Amino acid sequence: MSDDPEDRMLGWDESVFRDEHVFEIDWLPETFKHRDTQMETLKYALRPAVRGSRPLNVIARGPPGTGKTTAIQILFDELTAQTDVKTVRVNCQMDSTRYAVFSRLFAEIFDYEPPSSGISFKKLFSQITDKLVEEDEVLVVALDDVNYLFYESEASDTLYSLLRAHEAHSGAKIGVICVSSDMELDAIDALDTRVQSVFRPEEVYFNTYGQAEIADILSERVERGFNEDVVGPTVLDRVAELTEEQGGDLRVGIDLLRRAGMNAEMRASRSVETEDVEEAYDKSKYVHLSRRLRELSDSETALVEVIAAHDGQQAGDIYDAFSEQTDLGYTRYSEIINKLDQLDIIDADYTNVEGRGRSRELTLNYDADAVLERL
């Protein structure tokens, strides 16, 4: 083999990647590692649906990037392929009201979108349940990131409609899986008592992955996504270590591998080095922030911008600047503060202010420049 460095450089039409799609968040692994207990509990809860009965309800909790959505996708794929059970996963970041959730259910059941206006919730609901009874289908609904329904005060009404469907329409069989990444949210306690009495879920906890587990899981992506010998054990261990530092969120590690590969290509290198990982980490560590900011409304984004410019100031002072931009009232302003606090984008801690009593101090949980760059 030649020792000429030029022989080890990538050509312009070459890549370190074998299949870059492997580093997309929605790519499903062939083997779902270190989640056997959680999968068994989910299967136990859904087994009645296969027999034509209403399944047990489930609440799946765990920090971000611990495999909750992947578990649902794998189970739903199996149910769709092997049974007549109808499954629908709703992204509650996108569909954060009861009407939006049922519109998504309608679209998945009928294979077309409901009218954008002029149809009441009652009619939308009855068309869905009519279809289920007519086809004698059991419906399993996964409310992914259900915490967003709580942030918008829509969770109780949404779950009540789903869980009481069999009372409104005899023969309707619907089971619900609630998936939450907000570890401070006690979803059951936060529901109305009328919902608590019928929800009674099986609880599944997705614990944070350890460094060795992270390396084991990411090794499959390395094998399938990169060409041979592009990522060595030392580099993979460093990616796992940095991922663990970010709460064990696999999405950080997946993004870190992809960006490190791109950095290697920028150097025209055939292998990813530790320096590529370290450089990529400055961006990959903000993967949670980027995801959360993308889902904000215009008014919520506007408040984040104002807080970035007035970081650490009192809520009343920040409201003055915010109202100049949006003309929104203080009630809506307070609601947005609460949501941003729940999303962990800001801290809104009460402090004693001389002459003004208790007031909330608003501070970003991230570097202001990093936030503004991602808005």
Side-chain angles (χ1 to χ4, degrees):
M1 176 183 257
S2 171
D3 291 330
D4 188 343
E6 293 293 328
D7 290 342
R8 295 295 302 154
M9 295 182 68
L10 281 176
W12 67 270
D13 59 344
E14 294 180 301
S15 175
V16 297
F17 294 103
R18 176 179 290 151
D19 181 1
E20 201 166 350
H21 178 64
V22 167
F23 302 102
E24 298 293 336
I25 299 301
D26 60 356
W27 184 81
L28 290 180
E30 283 192 6
T31 53
F32 190 38
K33 299 179 177 180
H34 308 294
R35 286 295 179 249
D36 291 346
T37 301
Q38 291 84 350
M39 291 296 281
E40 286 304 314
T41 304
L42 288 168
K43 289 177 180 179
Y44 165 79
L46 297 182
R47 200 171 300 280
V50 179
R51 300 192 294 264
S53 301
R54 271 191 299 142
L56 302 178
N57 300 310
V58 175
I59 181 159
R61 299 174 63 248
T66 50
K68 300 180 299 297
T69 298
T70 299
I72 298 302
Q73 289 174 317
I74 289 173
L75 282 176
F76 278 14
D77 285 350
E78 290 180 2
L79 284 172
T80 300
Q82 301 173 23
T83 76
D84 294 325
V85 176
K86 182 69 178 177
T87 61
V88 179
R89 174 181 162 265
V90 181
N91 180 351
C92 295
Q93 286 195 55
M94 305 294 294
D95 299 313
S96 58
T97 66
R98 180 178 69 162
Y99 193 91
V101 168
F102 276 83
S103 293
R104 178 58 46 212
L105 297 180
F106 182 99
E108 294 295 328
I109 290 170
F110 288 93
D111 291 326
Y112 61 87
E113 299 285 339
S116 57
S117 62
I119 180 171
S120 67
F121 172 78
K122 184 177 180 180
K123 185 173 183 180
L124 189 69
F125 176 78
S126 65
Q127 288 183 342
I128 291 171
T129 54
D130 284 348
K131 181 71 170 177
L132 293 175
V133 173
E134 177 186 329
E135 300 291 335
D136 193 25
E137 286 185 323
V138 180
L139 173 65
V140 180
V141 179
L143 298 175
D144 206 353
D145 281 323
V146 72
N147 35 296
Y148 283 82
L149 290 180
F150 285 93
Y151 302 158
E152 302 296 339
S153 301
E154 294 276 348
S156 288
D157 285 345
T158 302
L159 281 168
Y160 188 80
S161 296
L162 288 168
L163 298 171
R164 293 287 191 180
H166 63 284
E167 295 181 0
H169 195 139
S170 179
K173 290 170 283 192
I174 300 176
V176 180
I177 302 173
C178 290
V179 181
S180 175
S181 296
D182 187 340
M183 300 311 296
E184 295 185 5
L185 173 68
D186 186 336
I188 298 174
D189 190 56
L191 291 168
D192 294 349
T193 53
R194 64 192 173 116
V195 182
Q196 291 178 3
S197 64
V198 292
F199 188 28
R200 299 192 300 273
E202 297 290 311
E203 296 192 46
V204 185
Y205 182 67
F206 286 73
N207 56 294
T208 303
Y209 293 114
Q211 185 175 331
E213 292 175 323
I214 293 168
D216 187 31
I217 294 166
L218 292 181
S219 65
E220 181 180 355
R221 303 236 180 190
V222 168
E223 182 179 343
R224 293 185 168 275
F226 286 111
N227 288 319
E228 191 173 358
D229 297 330
V230 168
V231 174
T234 302
V235 170
L236 180 58
D237 286 345
R238 182 56 178 157
V239 171
E241 181 183 3
L242 292 172
T243 302
E244 186 180 37
E245 288 180 12
Q246 290 296 314
D249 185 342
L250 279 181
R251 293 172 301 186
V252 173
I254 293 166
D255 188 71
L256 191 51
L257 284 172
R258 183 178 66 87
R259 290 183 184 275
M262 294 169 65
N263 288 344
E265 288 193 334
M266 191 174 295
R267 296 188 297 106
S269 173
R270 294 182 182 274
S271 61
V272 175
E273 306 297 338
T274 303
E275 66 191 66
D276 299 312
V277 174
E278 301 295 344
E279 182 181 345
Y281 182 60
D282 285 336
K283 292 186 177 179
S284 292
K285 66 183 179 182
Y286 291 117
V287 67
H288 321 87
L289 175 65
S290 299
R291 181 170 174 258
R292 288 166 180 165
L293 292 177
R294 280 198 302 269
E295 307 302 337
L296 298 180
S297 67
D298 291 343
S299 57
E300 292 161 354
T301 299
L303 180 54
V304 172
E305 290 176 338
V306 172
I307 294 173
H310 301 79
D311 199 19
Q313 293 190 16
Q314 301 302 313
D317 298 327
I318 291 178
Y319 173 70
D320 292 338
F322 176 68
S323 63
E324 288 181 8
Q325 290 189 22
T326 64
D327 294 325
L328 291 176
Y330 203 90
T331 299
R332 179 56 184 152
Y333 169 66
S334 294
E335 291 172 348
I336 297 174
I337 287 176
N338 290 337
K339 179 175 179 179
L340 296 178
D341 189 18
Q342 290 166 324
L343 289 173
D344 205 32
I345 295 173
I346 67 168
D347 271 335
D349 296 327
Y350 280 95
T351 58
N352 291 313
V353 180
E354 186 175 352
R356 295 172 60 178
R358 285 170 60 79
S359 177
R360 284 197 288 187
E361 183 178 277
L362 307 185
T363 56
L364 289 172
N365 284 330
Y366 298 87
D367 177 73
D369 289 337
V371 171
L372 293 173
E373 181 183 334
R374 287 161 176 81
L375 283 174

